[in-house]
């Protein structure tokens, strides 16, 4: 008798597939009646199975079916159960996860299994049938009228034409100033693609769904009767399964999601859109540290379909791609709404105009003007809490976290000092822990303190704060933005949360209170990010035509470095000039996108252990064209009592780096060390 062996991916740190014997009748899970005899099925790649693993049972994915195995038959175990009622995951999907596993140097199982909804893997308890029935009812009864498509301007039309041309794999960069109508280009491209092919699915990636519910509402209004599936990390598991199934079964034609949606199963995918493609949230920063944007490009190439990267401030990687004609560039230079113009950006020199409570006299008058005309002001301060640190003047004590290289942030409202890195909390001390001085002073200011000052300076104004603290409860962020949209807010103070794609209608003043810190950061990407943030937050102003008797829309930047080129580029709304300078710098310094990088991180109780491990790792034989740097402590060396160090490896050739790292990881695995280590490809935070 011919035996069948299944090669199965399991979510374990071991970098291999696992062989099991297939011996019917294997138990079938799902919704077969317990009294019926087990149907005979043949195993297929992409099916989910349950297998014994050590003393537990694990869920795995069949990758391959084989007639021979290297595992001794005495050790061979049988597959316990199979989920047969689910359409197997496609070869295309398996190839995507295999690519991600190879590229990011992780075991296939650690990539593929976490990409699936939890409930799909809970083979014993969850009935798929119920989900499938629920799904069948969705989307069928929507006979609402679609909202009309606005007439596109020439630049928008050109972009839609380029995107929907049947050219197979084409990466597009849609570069358009804030308010230039990129969303409209996406929607009309989607519409065309869906019309061309009755089965077509499109994937739209956004940095944050919860912060921009407007976008989802737009899509629903424009495509009534079409099933929209949303995928993001904030969903309940049951809901997640339903939406995932809708995509997997081809029922959902539009899939709107955050980075994790990039790994969803979509059998008829015909277009991928990555909105705000420069946004750091497309990079996963733990576990499988993948870039959803880069995977989007790979998947589009594999499927031979177009992919659109859209931004007002493209990442330098993508911009370089357009300059070198690897990406097809479409530009939207004007705001789409008639007579809506970009705000005037003005710099306020903090050395000359002294602020009180963090606000310069010029900014205070600008806010007053808006209050008089019932227009809104938005103040951007990327620092939550009341004050970044509490200090004692008498002895120099400051509130430091005992577990991290960081200060404890003062949260005055709930009488706490809080570490934003490890979560440590303390009551605010009544007196200095070292000298007993009772006059402890908050140093610097965060959004809570600004909110307090604003309320004192403008007692009649409605001041409102939006940051991670004020929106901790589920759904509260959406409600908060709703309040701003309804006009129930005069002055909005917030962190980068308020910069995202909101279309505030009465907002004519934006101010950046203290953006300078990022100018001198050790992280070479800090200025690229700051510029993108400031452009984005500035873009909230003046999105509609100036009202009669209303104020011109303006952006005020308070800075100690008024001559910094970054602020000059901001004043001129000139991303291109800024990008040109930065790219030149990067080329001279041999940094990405002209160089490819991998980072080995090590964590240990003592910094020295981590450094020693990295030294040993650095001494490994390298390949030609690989540069090995010195091990260094990370900028934030200690988090939650763990010391961290890193070692950067670089190469001008991506394949060379890939080949080296693969071999290197093999060697690192054989090194006996208690240090916890991980390798990151294309790191963004170094
Ligand atoms: P972006 O995504 O580039 O910031 P949006 O797509 O949000 O810009 O568009 C900004 C505003 O312009 C929205 O209010 C939108 O409805 C409007 N708009 C977009 N395209 C057009 C058009 N062709 N005609 C009129 N208004 C438009
Ligand atoms: Zn003291
Ligand atoms: Zn801490």
């Amino acid at each position: 008798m011919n035996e069948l062996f299944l090669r199965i991916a399991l979510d374990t740190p071991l970098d291999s597939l696992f062989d099991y014997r297939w011996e019917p009748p294997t138990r079938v899970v799902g919704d077969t009646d317990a009294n019926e005899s087990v149907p005979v099925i043949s195993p297929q790649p992409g099916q989910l199975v349950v297998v014994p693993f050590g003393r537990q049972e694990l869920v795995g994915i069949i990758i391959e079916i084989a007639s021979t195995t290297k595992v001794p038959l005495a050790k061979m175990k049988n597959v316990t159960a199979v989920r047969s009622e689910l359409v197997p995951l496609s070869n295309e999907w398996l190839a995507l996860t295999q690519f991600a596993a190879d590229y990011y140097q992780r075991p296939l199982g650690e990539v593929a299994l976490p990409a699936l909804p939890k409930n799909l893997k809970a083979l014993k308890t969850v009935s798929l049938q119920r989900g499938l029935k629920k799904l069948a009812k969705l989307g069928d009864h929507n006979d609402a009228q679609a909202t009309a498509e606005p007439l596109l301007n020439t630049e928008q039309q050109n972009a839609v034409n380029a995107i929907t041309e049947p050219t197979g794999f084409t990466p597009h960069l849609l570069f358009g100033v804030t308010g230039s109508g990129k969303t409209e280009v996406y929607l009309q491209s989607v519409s065309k693609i869906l019309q061309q092919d009755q089965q077509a699915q499109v994937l739209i990636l956004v940095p944050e769904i919860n912060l921009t519910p407007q976008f989802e509402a737009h899509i629903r209004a424009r495509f009534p009767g079409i099933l929209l599936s949303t995928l993001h990390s904030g969903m309940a598991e049951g809901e997640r399964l339903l939406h995932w199934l809708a995509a997997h079964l081809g029922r959902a034609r539009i899939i709107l999601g955050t980075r994790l949606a990039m790994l969803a199963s979509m059998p008829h995918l015909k277009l991928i859109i990555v909105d705000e493609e420069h946004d750091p949230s497309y990079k996963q920063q733990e576990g499988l540290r993948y870039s959803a944007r880069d995977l989007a490009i790979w998947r589009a190439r594999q499927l031979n379909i177009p992919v659109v990267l859209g931004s007002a401030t493209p990442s330098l990687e993508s911009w370089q791609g357009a300059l070198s004609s690897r990406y097809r560039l479409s530009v939207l230079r004007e705001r789409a709404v008639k007579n809506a113009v970009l705000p005037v950006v003005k710099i306020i020199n903090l050395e000359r105009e002294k602020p009180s409570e963090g606000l310069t006299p010029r900014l205070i008058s600008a806010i007053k003007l808006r209050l008089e005309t019932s227009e809104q002001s938005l103040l951007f301060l990327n620092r939550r809490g009341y004050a970044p640190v509490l200090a004692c003047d008498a002895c120099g004590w400051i509130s430091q976290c005992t577990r991290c290289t960081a200060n404890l942030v003062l949260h005055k409202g709930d009488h706490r000092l809080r570490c934003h890195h490890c979560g440590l909390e303390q009551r605010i001390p009544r007196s200095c822990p070292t000298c007993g001085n009772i006059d402890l002073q908050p140093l610097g200011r965060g959004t809570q303190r600004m909110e307090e000052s604003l309320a004192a300076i403008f007692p009649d104004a409605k001041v409102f704060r939006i940051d991670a603290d004020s929106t901790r409860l589920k759904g509260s962020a959406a409600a908060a933005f709703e309040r701003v949209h309804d006009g129930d807010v005069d002055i909005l103070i917030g962190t980068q949360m308020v910069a995202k794609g909101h279309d505030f209608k009465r907002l004519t003043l934006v101010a950046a209170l203290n953006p300078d810190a990022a100018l001198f950061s050790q992280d070479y990407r800090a200025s690229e990010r700051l510029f993108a943030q400031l452009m984005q937050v500035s873009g909230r102003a003046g999105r509609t035509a100036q009202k009669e008797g209303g104020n011109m829309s303006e952006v005020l930047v308070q800075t100690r470095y008024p001559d910094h080129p970054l602020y000059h580029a901001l004043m001129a709304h000139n991303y291109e000039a800024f990008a040109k300078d930065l790219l030149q710098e990067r080329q001279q310094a041999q940094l990405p996108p002209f160089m490819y990088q991998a980072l080995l991180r090590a964590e240990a109780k003592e910094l020295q252990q981590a450094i020693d491990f990295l030294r040993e790792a650095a001494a490994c034989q390298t390949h030609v064209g690989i540069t090995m740097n010195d091990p260094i402590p990370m900028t934030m060396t200690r988090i939650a009592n763990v010391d961290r160090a890193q070692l950067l490896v670089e190469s001008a050739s991506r394949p060379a780096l890939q080949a080296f790292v693969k071999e290197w990881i093999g060697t690192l695995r054989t090194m006996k060390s208690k240090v916890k280590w991980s390798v990151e490809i294309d790191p963004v935070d170094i």
Side-chain angles (χ1 to χ4, degrees), residues 156-400:
Q156 285 176 313
Q157 189 61 58
N158 289 343
V160 171
N161 291 348
I163 292 164
T164 53
E165 233 174 70
T167 48
F169 169 63
T170 316
H172 296 266
L173 180 63
L174 179 62
F175 166 52
V177 298
T178 50
S180 60
K182 295 185 287 297
T183 312
E184 200 49 51
V185 170
Y186 305 149
L187 293 178
Q188 299 208 18
S189 301
V190 168
S191 166
K192 262 192 162 177
I193 298 280
L194 294 186
Q195 276 164 28
Q196 279 167 14
D197 174 343
Q198 290 312 305
Q199 288 198 309
Q201 293 179 298
V202 299
L203 170 65
I204 306 174
L205 291 188
V206 291
E208 266 275 11
I209 289 187
N210 293 330
L211 293 186
T212 49
Q214 282 179 321
F215 194 26
E216 187 180 335
H218 272 314
I219 299 178
R220 289 194 190 281
R222 193 62 71 78
F223 302 101
I226 280 190
L227 192 59
L228 167 71
S229 145
T230 53
L231 289 169
H232 58 93
S233 57
M235 300 170 83
E237 287 301 333
E239 213 187 351
R240 170 100 160 259
L241 175 64
L242 201 63
H243 285 253
W244 185 91
L245 276 177
H248 174 64
L249 299 175
R251 290 280 321 277
R253 309 275 312 279
I254 304 177
I255 294 95
L256 173 67
T258 55
R259 63 167 182 263
L260 61 85
M262 198 59 243
L263 290 170
S265 158
M266 294 162 282
H268 305 296
L269 190 57
K270 292 291 179 286
L271 171 67
I272 305 175
I273 291 167
V274 185
D275 186 28
E276 308 288 1
E277 64 90 27
H278 64 279
D279 197 287
S281 74
Y282 286 122
K283 180 77 200 282
Q284 166 120 328
Q285 291 292 38
E286 57 192 28
L288 177 74
R289 293 170 172 253
Y290 65 96
S291 153
R293 180 187 68 216
D294 294 354
L295 287 183
I297 303 277
W298 190 87
R299 198 164 184 181
R301 177 182 289 127
Q302 177 204 26
L303 296 173
N304 201 28
I305 61 171
V307 51
V308 183
L309 310 180
S311 177
T313 50
S315 64
L316 290 181
E317 278 77 5
S318 301
W319 188 242
Q320 178 62 19
L323 293 180
S324 63
S325 303
R326 276 185 296 122
Y327 296 173
R328 190 164 164 185
L329 180 64
S330 295
V331 185
L332 311 179
R333 294 202 182 272
E334 306 279 323
R335 284 205 153 165
V337 171
K338 209 161 174 284
N339 297 329
V341 289
L342 287 170
V344 179
V345 180
K346 295 174 186 160
I347 304 295
I348 300 181
N349 184 348
L350 284 170
E351 297 296 344
R352 289 218 204 105
E353 302 181 42
K354 292 290 171 202
S356 69
E357 306 286 321
L359 302 169
T360 51
R362 201 152 32 126
L363 176 52
I364 292 179
S365 346
I367 297 174
K368 275 199 187 122
L369 278 179
R370 270 58 192 194
L371 291 174
E372 283 162 15
T373 50
S374 302
E375 292 169 342
Q376 292 174 312
S377 304
L378 164 60
L379 309 189
F380 171 60
L381 177 62
N382 219 356
R383 191 184 264 162
R384 67 190 170 88
Y386 187 83
V389 66
L390 188 67
C392 168
D393 268 352
C395 76
W397 173 86
I398 57 169
S399 58
Q400 279 175 322

Side-chain angles (χ1 to χ4, degrees), residues 15 166 218 308 355 379 562 586 593 630 669 671:
D15 189 13
H218 272 314
V308 183
L379 309 189
R586 297 271 185 95
D630 290 330
R669 286 209 170 103
M671 277 167 51

